[in-house]
Amino acid sequence: TVYVYKFDEVYNDGHDGGPMAGLSPEGEEHLHFLGPEYEAFHDSEFWARFILDAEQRLAAAGLVSAGVAGGDRALPGCEFASLRNEAYIPVRNPDWEEGQPEWAKMQLVYPPNEAGWNGAGHANPLDGAIQILARMEEDCDHAGSDDPEFQDSSWPGDSDGAPGEDGARGEETSPDV
């Protein structure tokens, strides 16, 4: 499991430092501080490569996928990798009774499977990487095609598809690849 942190101002509800900082005992806020400086900063190409590298390593190790977990979003062309936004979501508090404070009507919970891969409805920080994976899967699907459009099997943005001496491939590409 890889967790990608994406900061949102909503987390600073009456305090700085993210959702847990406001719950820290006075003087210990630093133990739970999770501000925007901890946000994942990699581009779409990095995440697509990361996902593909993980897929290749898991397959090479002989692992067999049990399939996509309930509630997760399958990623194009991937056997092991999937996506799930684990941000807590508000649901009705089943223990709330008339006469209790209104704020207690709702509670935050880990998103249940039926809420889907993005129950919180946040923007997907990996959308560009998913677009790259989808394009690569489409290219693989057409690999035997005589259509010249599908003859290039290189990494998006590469001139020859091969990694350079430093292991990097080609130029940076936009997430619209």
Side-chain angles (χ1 to χ4, degrees):
T1 302
V2 175
Y3 291 94
V4 179
Y5 176 67
K6 180 76 174 156
F7 181 78
D8 191 306
E9 285 297 327
V10 158
Y11 298 149
N12 284 344
D13 187 17
H15 60 274
D16 285 332
M20 299 303 291
L23 304 175
S24 302
E26 190 171 331
E28 295 183 16
E29 295 84 359
H30 66 284
L31 296 174
H32 300 104
F33 186 91
L34 196 54
E37 64 274 21
Y38 294 107
E39 182 174 298
F41 60 88
H42 300 290
D43 65 10
S44 298
E45 189 171 310
F46 169 86
W47 288 114
R49 289 175 194 247
F50 181 90
I51 292 164
L52 290 174
D53 183 53
E55 286 279 323
Q56 291 168 353
R57 289 172 185 242
L58 292 168
L63 282 108
V64 176
S65 174
V68 175
D72 282 16
R73 175 182 177 175
L75 298 181
C78 295
E79 183 180 348
F80 302 97
S82 62
L83 181 63
R84 182 183 193 99
N85 179 357
E86 293 190 349
Y88 279 40
I89 62 171
V91 298
R92 288 203 169 283
N93 180 351
D95 298 326
W96 185 84
E97 296 176 3
E98 196 66 42
Q100 292 181 326
E102 279 296 308
W103 60 263
K105 258 188 178 178
M106 301 298 282
Q107 62 184 6
L108 291 175
V109 300
Y110 181 87
N113 291 343
E114 57 270 11
W117 74 272
N118 189 10
H122 294 152
N124 181 356
L126 297 180
D127 191 52
I130 292 170
Q131 290 177 30
I132 291 171
L133 294 171
R135 171 62 198 264
M136 294 180 78
E137 180 181 41
E138 182 180 304
D139 287 352
C140 286
D141 289 346
H142 294 93
S145 171
D146 291 333
D147 186 338
E149 178 184 352
F150 300 108
Q151 296 304 309
D152 178 21
S153 62
S154 64
W155 184 267
D158 288 353
S159 57
D160 64 1
E165 288 180 16
D166 63 354
R169 297 182 190 224
E171 300 292 320
E172 290 282 326
T173 59
S174 75
D176 298 329
V177 173

